[in-house]
Amino acid sequence: MRLLHTSDWHLGRSFHRVNLLAAQRDFLGHLVRTVRERDVDAVLVAGDVYDRAVPPLAAVELFDEALHRLAALGVPTIMISGNHDSPRRLGVGAGLIDRAGIHLRTDPAGCATPVLLSDDHGDVAFYGLPYLEPALVREQLGAASAGHTAVLDAAMERVRADLGARPAGTRSVVLAHAFVAGGTTSDSERDITVGGVAAVPAEVFRGIDYTALGHLHGSQAITERIRYSGSPLAYSFSEADHRKTMWLVDLAADGTVGAERVDCPVPRPLARIRGRLEDLLADPDLERHEQAWIEATLTDAVRPQEPMARLARRFPHTVSLVFEPDRAPEDPLASYAQRLRGRTEAQIAEDFVAHVRGGQGPDEAERAVLTAALDSVRLDDTLDEVAR
């Protein structure tokens, strides 16, 4: 059975205030053509269909258009909600849409009820695990604790119990939206840390023939059987070196997996350039970036006059301007943002405690209080989005 694995469409998202709707439409057209031309048997969408819980109307219309085009091909599509989606909104009409071969899985209670598809070698059971917010689903799933690993373990135990009751030789595919250990992150994914821990071990998905993951925006293989498709478009300059693809997965009769990357259309390349303004404007080696989306980091000791306007004359698609003057590390004027780069929210909070107490950082009890406070704020944000 041939599967096309994609995720993290983030319909409605912009790139540094540049509207990406046309590029997202081009990608979906490319996806439909790939399904038709490569004889795909099922499409897997591993969450974050939309960029936010209440997407703009244009994004909803584009999603509706995509569903109609996929349904017209007669190729089943299985999709789950991600941490950016509103499960209730995305799941509206799921029962009716199911009849058209579009299988939306947004309710954690249904994670062990598979979509069954068949080929010449028997059944393949597709289990959809929507994004599982630990504090919201722990009791429902009977998880041992309120953490990502615990709730995914509980969901996967239900999946394995259902799979074990099916005829021998039934192959299995799981769709999940999570941060699995070993994955490489980018700047454009929303933090899903709980209790100071975001990643879950790949062992959670043991015994499954193929696990189609969403959440991380870089296409990557955790193992041969566990893969992220990544986002089809770049949503931050940290993805400048990404090759944006989908996975074309062949699931053999014995459950063996073969996978091929299918490139996605690139609306415009990304480039990060760095240096003094006059050097950037004169450097002949930068000619290849003149039509790219540009993030320019200026290292001039003194902020130049009208830097964006001057950059735009050579690089008309400059969308991000950063100032990082070349100064000695001990210089008190060194960028505060630069000092925070690469630090987590918990680390920043602990650094602040150490700063106000003359270098004495938090003890274990205080660290637990800080972690609980950060988790509470993040959960409040999640509940607000669900309520909207």
Side-chain angles (χ1 to χ4, degrees):
M1 183 173 289
R2 175 163 285 183
L3 316 173
L4 186 63
H5 169 198
T6 177
S7 73
D8 294 273
W9 296 354
H10 289 279
L11 300 181
R13 188 165 185 161
S14 60
F15 181 78
H16 291 269
R17 297 181 298 279
V18 176
N19 189 305
L20 291 179
L21 203 65
Q24 291 171 335
R25 178 173 283 106
D26 287 346
F27 158 70
L28 291 172
H30 169 70
L31 182 149
V32 171
R33 287 192 299 275
T34 302
V35 171
R36 183 175 58 247
E37 295 170 3
R38 300 299 299 270
D39 297 321
V40 170
D41 297 304
V43 176
L44 314 179
V45 186
D48 281 354
V49 173
Y50 293 121
D51 189 56
R52 54 182 184 267
V54 185
L57 179 58
V60 177
E61 291 173 340
L62 182 55
F63 178 59
D64 181 64
E65 176 187 326
L67 293 186
H68 277 83
R69 296 180 68 180
L70 288 168
L73 292 176
V75 176
T77 298
I78 302 103
M79 59 177 61
I80 61 174
S81 50
N83 61 302
H84 280 249
D85 298 309
S86 165
R88 290 186 178 181
R89 284 187 170 84
L90 186 62
V92 167
L96 289 173
I97 296 173
D98 193 83
R99 300 178 187 177
I102 307 293
H103 308 284
L104 291 170
R105 294 293 182 263
T106 64
D107 184 356
C111 64
T113 303
V115 175
L116 289 176
L117 302 178
S118 301
D119 62 10
D120 294 340
H121 308 292
D123 287 344
V124 180
F126 293 83
Y127 298 92
L129 276 59
Y131 171 67
L132 303 174
E133 175 60 48
L136 300 180
V137 303
R138 175 188 178 182
E139 292 186 5
Q140 182 181 17
L141 295 177
S145 63
H148 286 295
T149 300
V151 297
L152 271 170
D153 260 332
M156 286 303 301
E157 286 306 314
R158 294 186 178 198
V159 167
R160 277 186 279 270
D162 179 86
L163 184 61
R166 297 193 175 275
T170 300
R171 289 160 289 166
S172 57
V173 175
V174 164
L175 290 77
H177 198 87
F179 179 12
V180 176
T184 301
T185 63
S186 64
D187 292 344
S188 54
E189 298 120 6
R190 182 179 296 168
D191 182 24
I192 57 171
T193 300
V194 173
V197 178
V200 302
E203 178 66 14
V204 166
F205 301 105
R206 64 190 178 278
I208 302 302
D209 291 315
Y210 184 71
T211 299
L213 293 175
H215 180 57
L216 300 185
H217 288 184
S219 178
Q220 54 199 293
I222 304 300
T223 70
E224 285 301 305
R225 296 183 180 275
I226 304 173
R227 297 172 185 267
Y228 282 99
S229 67
S231 60
L233 300 173
Y235 293 117
S236 72
F237 277 100
S238 65
E239 302 167 60
D241 295 329
H242 284 191
R243 176 187 167 196
K244 295 300 184 181
T245 63
M246 302 177 285
W247 285 110
L248 192 66
V249 177
D250 286 317
L251 187 61
D254 62 356
T256 302
V257 169
E260 171 191 346
R261 292 177 75 177
V262 178
D263 289 296
C264 296
V266 178
R268 191 177 298 280
L270 274 60
R272 284 174 147 169
I273 60 176
R274 179 187 181 91
R276 294 174 60 253
L277 177 59
E278 294 299 337
D279 294 337
L280 297 180
L281 295 177
D283 188 348
D285 289 341
L286 298 180
E287 183 178 353
R288 66 189 188 279
H289 297 317
E290 288 181 353
Q291 295 306 312
W293 276 319
I294 294 290
E295 179 184 74
T297 299
L298 300 184
T299 61
D300 301 73
V302 178
R303 184 182 296 239
Q305 292 291 322
E306 299 183 337
M308 181 62 89
R310 294 168 66 187
L311 278 167
R313 284 196 282 271
R314 183 179 187 190
F315 307 102
H317 303 288
T318 302
V319 294
S320 176
L321 188 58
V322 180
F323 291 96
E324 291 186 2
D326 283 336
R327 296 192 176 108
E330 66 275 8
D331 189 330
L333 296 178
S335 168
Y336 178 66
Q338 186 175 358
R339 295 200 302 273
L340 297 184
R341 183 166 298 150
R343 309 287 287 170
T344 66
E345 292 176 344
Q347 289 170 328
I348 292 169
E350 292 176 18
D351 289 347
F352 176 76
V353 172
H355 172 71
V356 299
R357 291 204 307 210
Q360 180 184 349
D363 58 26
E364 287 303 315
E366 292 169 331
R367 187 174 290 110
V369 171
L370 288 171
T371 299
L374 290 169
D375 287 349
S376 177
V377 171
R378 191 181 56 78
L379 178 58
D380 286 346
D381 288 343
T382 300
L383 291 173
D384 286 344
E385 287 207 0
V386 171
R388 291 198 296 270

